[in-house]
Amino acid sequence: MTISRRAFGFSAAALAIVAAAPALAQSGLSAEDRAVLQQAQTYLTNLTSATGTFVETGPNNQRRTGKFWLQRPGKMRFEYTNPEGLLVVADGNNVNRYDPRLNVFRQVPLRATPLSTFLAREVRLDQGVRIDRVTRMASGAFAITARDASKPNEGSVILAFAGSPLRLQEWTITDAQGSRTRIQLTSLEAASGLASSLFQLRDPTRRPGRN
């Protein structure tokens, strides 16, 4: 079964003020904004393998918690502890979602989700991505609002960074209908030797022998 991006409404990051900030055309970004983009691009490209914990806040303010694992290119696992058992796994080709409470398995091509840019071998914020705005704080924290340049009406993603050394703090995705999902990274650490099984999720609803 395949589904739309909206059904995979996890992803992306945000500072609340960014959504209200006036949009900037990418060609109108300042030299300081472009320097921030390069900083974020370098950080994301170097984040090749990591693990951590998160809190997700959905469109109706429902909260979910869990752990995640990242292995670029193409692989990520969200393992929810609340609700227990919910899994979202990017295996390099597809993003798979299994909800054991409903016994429902869904799949969408990775390239059709916002995760595709983030999980690329080399993250590029200057190709195929439209930067709507860059918000910089006096503290050094910043947020980037971006969307797919080829499908600008399908929603946007805000990535928020802070700290020294720099760290991705959270992300928020807004879909085409205006619904928002926010993920705050409560911890994020580099990891190595992650098991390949973390990034595999077969359809548990399929009976043996069923085509």
Side-chain angles (χ1 to χ4, degrees):
M1 177 184 295
T2 58
I3 59 175
S4 67
R5 292 186 186 192
R6 186 181 184 187
F8 282 96
F10 59 87
S11 300
L15 298 175
I17 62 168
V18 174
L24 297 173
Q26 189 163 357
S27 59
L29 295 178
S30 67
E32 291 83 1
D33 291 339
R34 293 181 184 280
V36 163
L37 289 177
Q38 183 59 54
Q39 187 180 5
Q41 183 170 290
T42 299
Y43 168 83
L44 292 173
T45 295
N46 290 334
L47 186 66
T48 57
S49 186
T51 186
T53 56
F54 68 90
V55 175
E56 176 186 292
T57 304
N60 298 316
N61 290 322
Q62 70 270 29
R63 286 169 59 89
R64 295 173 172 175
T65 60
K67 298 180 64 176
F68 71 91
W69 294 261
L70 162 72
Q71 185 171 288
R72 296 189 22 255
K75 297 179 180 179
M76 199 163 190
R77 178 186 183 96
F78 288 82
E79 187 173 289
Y80 289 77
T81 54
N82 176 27
E84 186 175 1
L86 179 62
L87 292 172
V88 178
V89 178
D91 61 14
N93 297 305
N94 299 303
V95 180
N96 305 302
R97 184 182 189 274
Y98 175 60
D99 187 340
R101 297 169 304 165
L102 303 176
N103 195 33
V104 172
F105 178 85
R106 294 171 174 169
Q107 184 180 84
V108 66
L110 175 61
R111 65 180 180 275
T113 76
L115 282 176
S116 59
T117 297
F118 179 55
L119 295 179
R121 185 175 300 278
E122 181 182 6
V123 177
R124 298 298 300 267
L125 299 178
D126 58 348
Q127 295 182 1
V129 177
R130 193 182 91 186
I131 305 299
D132 284 351
R133 62 186 71 88
V134 175
T135 301
R136 292 177 284 114
M137 307 293 184
S139 64
F142 61 88
I144 298 167
T145 304
R147 64 184 68 237
D148 187 331
S150 64
K151 301 173 182 177
N153 296 323
E154 289 196 7
S156 63
V157 165
I158 308 172
L159 299 172
F161 301 82
S164 182
L166 187 69
R167 183 171 83 83
L168 178 63
Q169 298 287 312
E170 57 179 78
W171 64 79
T172 299
I173 187 167
T174 302
D175 67 18
Q177 289 73 38
S179 295
R180 295 183 182 181
T181 300
R182 178 186 185 189
I183 289 185
Q184 298 166 282
L185 302 183
T186 48
S187 69
L188 174 63
E189 298 178 355
S192 61
L194 296 179
S196 59
S197 59
L198 283 170
F199 310 106
Q200 299 171 3
L201 180 59
R202 295 181 175 84
D203 184 354
T205 68
R206 294 176 66 93
R207 294 189 298 271
R210 181 181 173 188
N211 293 326

